[in-house]
Amino acid sequence: MDASRQNENSITFSFEAIGTSWIIDVYKTLSPQDEGVLLTQIKNRIKEFDLAYSRFKPDSLVSRMSKHPGNYKLPSDAHPMFELYEDMYKMTRGAFTPLIGNTLHDTGYDAVYSFRPKPQDQITPPPTWQEAIEFNHKSNEILIKKESIILDFGGIGKGYLIDIIGELLKKSGINSFLIDAGGDILHINNTSAAYKGDGNKYKNDANSSAAAYHTHVTSSTNHTIRVGLEHPADKTKVIGVVEIKNQAICASAGNRRAWANYHHIINPHTLSSPTEILATWVIAKTTIIADTLATCLFFEPAETFLNAGYEFEYLIIYPDFSIKKSDGFKAELFTL
Amino acid sequence: MDSQPSTPTQSTEQKSTNTSKPFALSALILLPLILIGYFVFGKKAPETTDAPKTDTPVNPNEAVDTTDATNTPATVASYKDGTYTARGAYASPAGPEEYPVSITLKNGVITAVKITASSQNEVSTKFQTEFAKNVQTVVIGKSINDVKLDKVSGSSLTPKGFNDAVEKIKAQARS
C-alpha cells in the first residue's frame, strides 16, 4: 500500500524507487484526492530525475550521453549537482567524481547487477574531469568529450533528490515532514514559523478541522527525531542515537552494497574500495550536503571540507570500532 | 617532542589506517601514551574504585574474576582484568603538565582508555581535550529493539535486488 494514515493528522507514503525504499511522513491532514495528487507528483518527480541521471536506465540522458559524445542541454536541476561535484572533485583530488561510472561498471556494479568484476588490471580508471567533460554553468550544458563516458551521480543524486522532494512538499503547503530514503533522512518542521506574528490566523479559518490540525502538528512534531546509528557490521544493532531537527542525516559504509572485494565506494586512484573507514554519518542542513560529505569523508579528513566553509557535523567509525567525531555531533554513543 | 602535546593526538589518528581485528588496540593506544612522555603505568593492582566516567561503569567483581584470569593466555596473565589509573606527564612550553589516565583491561586487551584534561593552562587544556576525545571511545552495538528510535540511519538500506544478486553469485562461487 502506498499511503497509510497513522492517525487523523498524518499520512505516510511508502514506495520503492531508484532502487531503495521511500517512507515519507507528512504531518498534515489531506483529503483523499489531495493525497493521491501529492503521491503522483512525488513519484513523477522521482521518475523524471531517474530518467535524466540514472546509468541503469537504457533510455536515460546519461545512457544516451555514454553512446554519443557531444554537447547536451541538462535539466534545470543539474546545476547545484555539478557545482558540488566540481568542488568535491577538487577537494578530494579527483577521488570523488561522476566519472567513476565506467569503473563501477567494470567491477560488476552494472545495470543488471552482474557483480562479476573484471580482473584488477582490466578495470578502467576514471578519466580526469578535464579530459572527459566540461560543464557550462551559464548555459547548463555539458560537453562529453570522449566515447563511452558513463556518468554516475550516485555520490550526490539520492541526497539531492530527497531535497527536491522536500521542496515539492513545501510548495504543496506542507511545512512538516520526514523523508527517509533508505536510511538517508530529511526532517523539516517549520510549523512554529507558521504561527509567527498572528496567533489568530487559524481561529478565523472557516475550516475548523484545519485549525485543529495545526494545533496537533505543533504539539506532536515540535520535538526532535531520534535516529539510530546502524552498527556497521550488524544491522540488527545500533551503536548510538542522535537527535535531529530541521536537519538531514546521511550515512555511508562499506558493509552494505558490497560484492566481491568491492563496496559502492571505489577510490579511482587505487581502484579498490577504501577499508580504512567502516562507516560515516554526516548531519547538515540539506541532504545533498550530508549525502555527499558522508562519501567524501572516505577520501579526505573532515577538516578539508570544514576549512572550505562547509557546515556539517560528522561521526566516523574505524575498523577497530574507535571513532572520531565533531563536537557538534551530539550523539548518545554506546561504548564499552 | 615533549614540547608538542599535539604529536600524540596525530599519532592517535593514525590508528585509523589500521585495519586489523577489532579491539586490537593495545599497541596503538599505548604508542601515543608513550609518546606523550614520561608516562608511568603505575602499579599493577587494579584501582577499581577509580572507574572512568564512561557510560558503563566498571564492575568491581569483574576485576577479580578468577575464571577470566585462568582463561587468559600465560603471556598476558600478569595483567589482571580491571581499571588501572596513573598520571601522565609531559613538558609543555608553559611548563610541566599532568593529566590522569585510566585504562580498562579485559583478557589482556585494553577495552577503554580515559584521559581527563586537567591543565590550568588554556592552550594545554585544548590540546589535552582534543587528545582525550580521540583515544577514549570504542563503540559497541545495542539491539535496535532495546533502543527507542524513530528512524535508523545506515549505509543506505540496500535494495532487495542488489542483495539477491550478490547472494546468487556467492552461491555460484561455492558450487
Side-chain angles (χ1 to χ4, degrees), chain A residues 11-213:
Chain A
I11 301 151
T12 299
F13 297 124
S14 45
F15 53 89
E16 298 281 319
I18 60 158
T20 197
S21 308
W22 291 69
I23 301 166
I24 303 177
D25 297 322
V26 170
Y27 306 113
K28 183 172 184 174
T29 305
L30 295 175
S31 70
Q33 290 99 311
D34 288 351
E35 229 174 72
V37 169
L38 184 61
L39 181 60
T40 307
Q41 280 176 343
I42 292 169
K43 285 185 163 181
N44 285 346
R45 188 62 188 88
I46 294 173
K47 225 176 263 173
E48 187 188 323
F49 192 87
D50 207 22
L51 210 57
Y53 304 116
S54 172
R55 68 183 170 93
F56 296 144
K57 289 238 180 313
D59 51 348
S60 73
L61 178 62
V62 161
S63 294
R64 279 185 278 137
M65 291 193 292
S66 73
K67 286 171 200 127
H68 309 284
N71 210 39
Y72 290 85
K73 180 86 180 167
L74 292 169
S76 57
D77 58 23
H79 193 263
M81 201 159 59
F82 270 92
E83 208 167 42
L84 190 55
Y85 260 117
E86 269 183 338
D87 211 16
M88 291 296 151
Y89 182 84
K90 281 178 208 143
M91 275 192 281
T92 61
R93 292 166 292 168
F96 187 79
T97 171
L99 295 159
I100 198 75
N102 295 74
T103 314
L104 286 169
H105 188 271
D106 285 352
T107 62
Y109 192 2
D110 51 29
V112 295
Y113 288 157
S114 76
F115 299 122
R116 292 174 189 283
K118 288 184 184 174
Q120 178 91 15
D121 56 359
Q122 287 171 35
I123 289 171
T124 325
T128 65
W129 190 290
Q130 289 73 17
E131 65 180 309
I133 52 171
E134 191 180 320
F135 178 67
N136 187 324
H137 289 257
K138 275 189 186 152
S139 64
N140 205 33
E141 286 172 343
I142 187 169
L143 176 64
I144 308 285
K145 299 177 181 174
K146 294 170 78 173
E147 294 279 345
S148 309
I149 295 289
I150 306 174
L151 292 174
D152 179 88
F153 295 105
I156 289 183
K158 188 165 75 160
Y160 185 35
L161 185 54
I162 293 172
D163 285 338
I164 289 174
I165 298 305
E167 287 305 313
L168 190 155
L169 292 174
K170 284 182 197 167
K171 273 186 194 136
S172 309
I174 293 156
N175 295 316
S176 285
F177 55 83
L178 182 62
I179 304 177
D180 175 1
D184 288 344
I185 294 158
L186 172 67
H187 174 243
I188 295 292
N189 172 24
N190 287 327
T191 335
S192 52
Y195 274 101
K196 223 174 183 176
D198 185 6
N200 292 323
K201 193 174 174 186
Y202 299 107
K203 283 183 186 164
N204 298 332
D205 197 320
N207 186 343
S208 60
S209 72
Y213 142 67

Side-chain angles (χ1 to χ4, degrees), chain B residues 14-29:
Chain B
Q14 281 167 11
K15 76 189 159 69
S16 68
T17 56
N18 183 287
T19 57
S20 62
K21 288 179 242 81
F23 314 125
L25 284 169
S26 23
L28 296 158
I29 284 180

Side-chain angles (χ1 to χ4, degrees), chain A residues 19-20 23 109 113-116 158 178 180 182-183 185 224-231 235-239 241 251-253 255-259 275-276 281 317-324 327 333-336, chain B residues 13 15-25 28 54-56 110-112 130 133-134 137-145 147-163 165-166 169 172:
Chain A
T20 197
I23 301 166
Y109 192 2
Y113 288 157
S114 76
F115 299 122
R116 292 174 189 283
K158 188 165 75 160
L178 182 62
D180 175 1
I185 294 158
T224 53
I225 299 294
R226 284 174 61 83
V227 181
L229 308 171
E230 187 187 279
H231 192 288
K235 63 181 176 182
T236 67
K237 289 183 175 150
V238 287
I239 56 98
V241 183
S252 195
N255 64 315
R256 313 283 282 276
R257 285 185 195 255
W259 69 100
T275 53
E276 300 85 0
W281 283 269
I317 301 188
Y318 299 103
D320 60 5
F321 285 87
S322 66
I323 62 143
K324 184 170 189 259
D327 287 338
L333 295 174
F334 307 136
T335 56
L336 280 164
Chain B
E13 289 183 0
K15 76 189 159 69
S16 68
T17 56
N18 183 287
T19 57
S20 62
K21 288 179 242 81
F23 314 125
L25 284 169
L28 296 158
T54 49
D55 292 340
T56 321
I110 295 175
T111 55
E130 182 66 19
K133 197 173 68 188
N134 284 309
T137 316
V138 171
V139 292
I140 54 164
K142 254 192 202 179
S143 171
I144 284 174
N145 302 325
V147 187
K148 189 178 164 286
L149 298 172
D150 297 308
K151 288 282 173 191
V152 173
S153 175
S155 61
S156 305
L157 224 148
T158 315
K160 202 175 170 299
F162 189 109
N163 287 341
V166 171
I169 285 154
Q172 283 168 12

Side-chain angles (χ1 to χ4, degrees), chain B residues 15-83:
Chain B
K15 76 189 159 69
S16 68
T17 56
N18 183 287
T19 57
S20 62
K21 288 179 242 81
F23 314 125
L25 284 169
S26 23
L28 296 158
I29 284 180
L30 280 174
L31 179 66
L33 291 179
I34 291 160
L35 283 176
I36 212 163
Y38 311 121
F39 171 70
V40 182
F41 194 67
K43 300 291 176 194
K44 281 174 189 169
E47 295 176 33
T48 47
T49 48
D50 197 2
K53 290 182 286 175
T54 49
D55 292 340
T56 321
V58 174
N59 181 354
N61 300 329
E62 214 172 271
V64 291
D65 190 333
T66 48
T67 323
D68 272 12
T70 49
N71 289 341
T72 312
T75 47
V76 291
S78 54
Y79 297 100
K80 278 187 187 163
D81 287 357
T83 299

